[in-house]
């Protein structure tokens, strides 16, 4: 299972929120590049970079932070937050993103998101399926849609999506543990097609939200998660970077 630390950006600074609520903002570091270099120094290869200003503004904002981290580290960065147009994608990839995550657009403009999957390929485009009570949430979690989470993921699986980041918003930033049952439910529901045959297009589920202790990581791996995003647990020293380095080395 891949270990993917998160850096969330507001006004160029590394922050964390609780349950996506912007009023709970806590600044952890004024310099995201410094944080990214710490991750890389501990053998971490991946980074989940979220443009929270972009999510609110509905277009890419903090691409300079992305460019700085991409040009000064070897981290493979998945970048999300407010990506709505081909121009946003072009800026993100030109700035050094290895992958981009589309969330709100996958709900509100399905044809565009399917077009991205076809144009850039499923290795470049991640489906952001963030949920509250198993309903997909959009616009930086400021809105709940009418989309049921699992049918939503299954529909995009049929369209070729492979990488799925699923955040249970009720867990995000709360340090109370992730939604093991929800992730198992998603993996069980996407393992086979409607006829009961093994799915040709197996999804790679990335768990996000609520990670609080190191012991939760092997449990997520056992369920079948392909990766896990860790945020506040690192910044609050609940999980040490040395622990993560050892985990990566011993895989």
């Amino acid at each position: 299972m891949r270990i993917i630390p998160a850096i969330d950006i507001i006004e160029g600074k590394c922050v964390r929120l609780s349950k996506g609520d912007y009023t709970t903002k806590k600044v952890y570091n004024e310099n995201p590049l410094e944080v990214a270099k710490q991750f890389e120094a501990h053998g971490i290869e991946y980074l989940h970079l979220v443009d929270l200003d972009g999510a609110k503004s509905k277009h890419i904002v903090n691409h300079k932070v992305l460019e700085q981290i991409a040009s000064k580290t070897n981290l493979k960065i998945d970048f999300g937050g407010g990506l709505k147009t081909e121009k946003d994608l072009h800026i993100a990839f030109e700035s050094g993103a290895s992958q981009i995550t589309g969330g709100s657009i996958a709900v509100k403009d399905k044809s565009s998101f399917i077009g991205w999957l076809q144009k850039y390929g499923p290795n470049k485009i991640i489906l952001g399926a963030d949920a509250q009570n198993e309903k997909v949430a959009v616009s930086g979690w400021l809105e709940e849609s009418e989309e049921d989470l699992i049918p939503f993921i299954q529909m995009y699986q049929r369209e070729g999506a492979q990488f799925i980041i699923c955040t249970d918003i009720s867990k995000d930033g709360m340090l109370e543990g992730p939604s093991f049952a929800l992730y198992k439910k998603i993996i069980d529901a996407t393992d086979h097609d409607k006829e009961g045959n093994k799915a040709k297009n197996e999804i790679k589920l990335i768990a996000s939200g609520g990670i609080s202790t190191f012991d939760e990581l092997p449990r997520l791996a056992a369920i079948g998660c392909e990766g896990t995003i860790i945020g506040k647990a690192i910044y609050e020293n609940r999980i040490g970077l040395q622990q993560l380095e050892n985990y990566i080395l011993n895989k």
Side-chain angles (χ1 to χ4, degrees), residues 156-221:
Y156 275 114
Q157 181 183 21
R158 291 191 293 273
E159 293 292 343
Q162 290 179 356
F163 287 92
I164 318 285
I165 293 175
C166 181
T167 306
D168 182 341
I169 294 163
S170 68
K171 301 279 190 180
D172 185 67
M174 302 312 291
L175 297 172
E176 293 170 356
S179 288
F180 295 108
L182 177 63
Y183 298 134
K184 185 171 190 320
K185 197 171 174 182
I186 293 168
I187 288 166
D188 289 347
T190 54
D191 255 358
H192 294 83
D193 62 22
K194 286 179 178 175
E195 286 72 46
N197 302 313
K198 188 77 176 162
K200 290 176 187 168
N201 177 31
E202 279 191 60
I203 67 159
K204 296 176 168 70
L205 183 65
I206 299 164
S208 167
I211 312 296
S212 59
T213 67
F214 180 79
D215 297 343
E216 291 157 359
L217 304 183
R219 287 182 65 191
L220 288 169

Side-chain angles (χ1 to χ4, degrees), residues 14-79:
C14 176
V15 307
R16 297 304 294 172
L17 308 180
S18 297
K19 297 186 183 179
D21 182 350
Y22 284 72
T23 65
T24 64
K25 178 183 81 174
K26 182 174 178 181
V27 177
Y28 282 94
N29 198 305
E30 303 270 334
N31 185 351
L33 175 60
E34 198 175 89
V35 178
K37 283 183 168 178
Q38 284 177 353
F39 294 154
E40 188 176 40
H42 284 85
I44 287 162
E45 296 177 51
Y46 303 95
L47 178 66
H48 178 66
L49 187 63
V50 182
D51 182 357
L52 288 175
D53 293 314
K56 220 171 185 180
S57 305
K58 297 182 170 57
H59 62 84
I60 194 167
V61 174
N62 285 296
H63 53 92
K64 292 291 182 196
V65 176
L66 166 61
E67 188 175 38
Q68 194 179 35
I69 294 173
S71 63
K72 294 187 176 169
T73 73
N74 291 312
L75 295 168
K76 298 176 188 77
I77 303 167
D78 77 75
F79 183 81

Side-chain angles (χ1 to χ4, degrees), residues 98-127:
S98 298
Q99 295 175 301
I100 67 92
T101 301
S104 302
I105 190 162
V107 176
K108 296 184 171 184
D109 186 356
K110 290 176 180 164
S111 62
S112 286
F113 190 78
I114 290 166
W116 293 358
L117 281 168
Q118 291 167 346
K119 179 175 179 179
Y120 296 98
N123 286 328
K124 287 279 191 183
I125 306 294
I126 301 172
L127 174 64

